[in-house]
Amino acid sequence: FRYMLTETQFLNWFWNTARVATVSMIISVLVAALGAYALMRLKWRGAGLISTAILFSYLMPGIIIFIPLYQTFAAIHRTLLTALPEAIYANNQIIHIINGLGALMIAYPTFGLPFACWLLMGYYRSIPQELEEAALIDGCNHFQAFFKIILPLTKPALLTVGLFALTGAFNDFLFAFIFVRPEQYTTLAV
């Protein structure tokens, strides 16, 4: 333990992993909660098609998409370097998309969101729609009904989605190995 804590960068790696996992979990839970609610409760054209697309994207393995995702991050990084004033990136104040933790914080939710949306869609389906209709009759809009009525009822599902997103980001090796090169930004899995 002494060697691990003093001779290696274990605490830095653990801090990097905790930050990436926490940010990706928060993004996954927020976006999935709102997206699944919109797909299940709001009536709009194309909701069924998007639900099916979410299912198919969940079935796609992540290894298929890491090269296009890396190219996208590199293009975003180049765009930021050319668009921002020279003083910002000369002092290393720019957020590094490639070879930094930003790539992992963006990439992990993209693969956790289909599962999270699919899980929450099933949970929203089990909540009686009459509860929301009663709130709408009492004067709430859809956002108020979601935050005051539906969201408190979905705490167990949100906790489940959060735990899956957290453990998925905490244990991932492939994306952390490909997107992050300097040892100071390495995660524990690598």
Side-chain angles (χ1 to χ4, degrees), residues 29-51:
V29 169
L30 286 176
V31 173
L34 292 170
Y37 176 77
L39 288 171
M40 289 307 302
R41 296 299 174 117
L42 303 178
K43 305 296 181 213
W44 50 284
R45 186 179 302 164
L49 181 66
I50 291 180
S51 298

Side-chain angles (χ1 to χ4, degrees), residues 85-107:
E86 193 173 313
I88 291 176
Y89 66 83
N91 296 330
N92 286 332
Q93 295 175 357
I94 190 170
I95 297 173
H96 294 284
I97 303 266
I98 298 295
N99 292 330
L101 298 177
L104 298 178
M105 291 177 185
I106 296 170

Side-chain angles (χ1 to χ4, degrees), residues 17-79:
T17 306
R19 283 190 303 174
V20 167
T22 303
V23 169
S24 65
M25 177 199 62
I26 290 170
I27 292 171
S28 293
V29 169
L30 286 176
V31 173
L34 292 170
Y37 176 77
L39 288 171
M40 289 307 302
R41 296 299 174 117
L42 303 178
K43 305 296 181 213
W44 50 284
R45 186 179 302 164
L49 181 66
I50 291 180
S51 298
T52 305
I54 286 173
L55 175 65
F56 285 130
S57 65
Y58 174 62
L59 298 176
M60 185 180 0
I63 197 159
I64 291 175
I65 198 135
F66 78 84
I67 292 175
L69 194 60
Y70 186 86
Q71 291 172 342
T72 303
F73 288 156
I76 290 171
H77 187 73
R78 281 191 304 272
T79 304

Side-chain angles (χ1 to χ4, degrees), residues 78-162:
R78 281 191 304 272
T79 304
L80 285 175
L81 286 178
T82 58
L84 293 174
E86 193 173 313
I88 291 176
Y89 66 83
N91 296 330
N92 286 332
Q93 295 175 357
I94 190 170
I95 297 173
H96 294 284
I97 303 266
I98 298 295
N99 292 330
L101 298 177
L104 298 178
M105 291 177 185
I106 296 170
Y108 289 152
T110 60
F111 294 101
L113 275 174
F115 172 73
C117 278
W118 198 254
L119 183 77
L120 287 174
M121 284 168 54
Y123 202 83
Y124 288 145
R125 205 175 283 128
S126 70
I127 296 173
Q129 197 162 359
E130 290 80 16
L131 292 173
E132 184 180 356
E133 291 171 355
L136 294 174
I137 289 172
D138 287 341
C140 290
N141 58 27
H142 282 288
F143 284 113
Q144 290 171 332
F146 173 71
F147 285 110
K148 292 181 179 179
I149 305 298
I150 303 298
L151 201 60
L153 294 174
T154 60
K155 285 181 184 176
L158 294 175
L159 180 65
T160 303
V161 166

